[in-house]
Amino acid sequence: GALAVTASDDLTAKIWSVESGECLQTMRAPGPRFLSAVFSPDGTLVLTASLNPVVQIWHVASGKCLHTLRGHQNSVHSAVFSPDGERVITASQDKDAKIWCVKTGECLHTL
């Protein structure tokens, strides 16, 4: 069924069933609150950005963190998947944008 993802001030991101309204997974922030949460193009992953300089890639079905992307020096305000789902781009208050590999979690470029 259709899913939705939310990021909240209560230090969680949640995956919801749109049909039933049931919370299917809860992901916990590694510190200050999440600022955003988005699905990958194929819907199997969730990307979260938070008030600390960390971005995480989560597996939707298990709710487990697959990668923690570290490298920014300040809050990450935006994080999105590339259209093919193979890369992530992040933008931080540190004035850097970074491109990451989804499979390895490796930073490929700093812009």
Side-chain angles (χ1 to χ4, degrees), residues 1-93:
L3 301 176
V5 63
T6 59
S8 176
D9 282 345
D10 69 358
L11 307 182
T12 65
K14 295 182 179 184
I15 299 171
W16 304 87
S17 165
V18 172
E19 295 164 4
S20 70
E22 176 186 3
C23 178
L24 304 174
Q25 295 289 354
T26 299
M27 299 154 289
R28 304 243 174 246
R33 67 184 172 93
F34 288 125
L35 294 175
S36 68
V38 296
F39 284 110
S40 61
D42 68 3
T44 62
L45 303 174
V46 165
L47 181 65
T48 57
S50 59
L51 205 50
N52 64 13
V54 172
V55 174
Q56 291 177 291
I57 301 172
W58 305 81
H59 187 251
V60 168
S62 69
K64 302 289 183 196
C65 180
L66 300 178
H67 295 293
T68 299
L69 311 180
R70 299 180 193 278
H72 284 291
Q73 302 303 311
N74 211 319
S75 301
V76 179
H77 290 272
S78 180
V80 295
F81 285 97
S82 62
D84 63 9
E86 293 184 11
R87 304 280 184 264
V88 163
I89 187 163
T90 58
S92 170
Q93 193 172 347

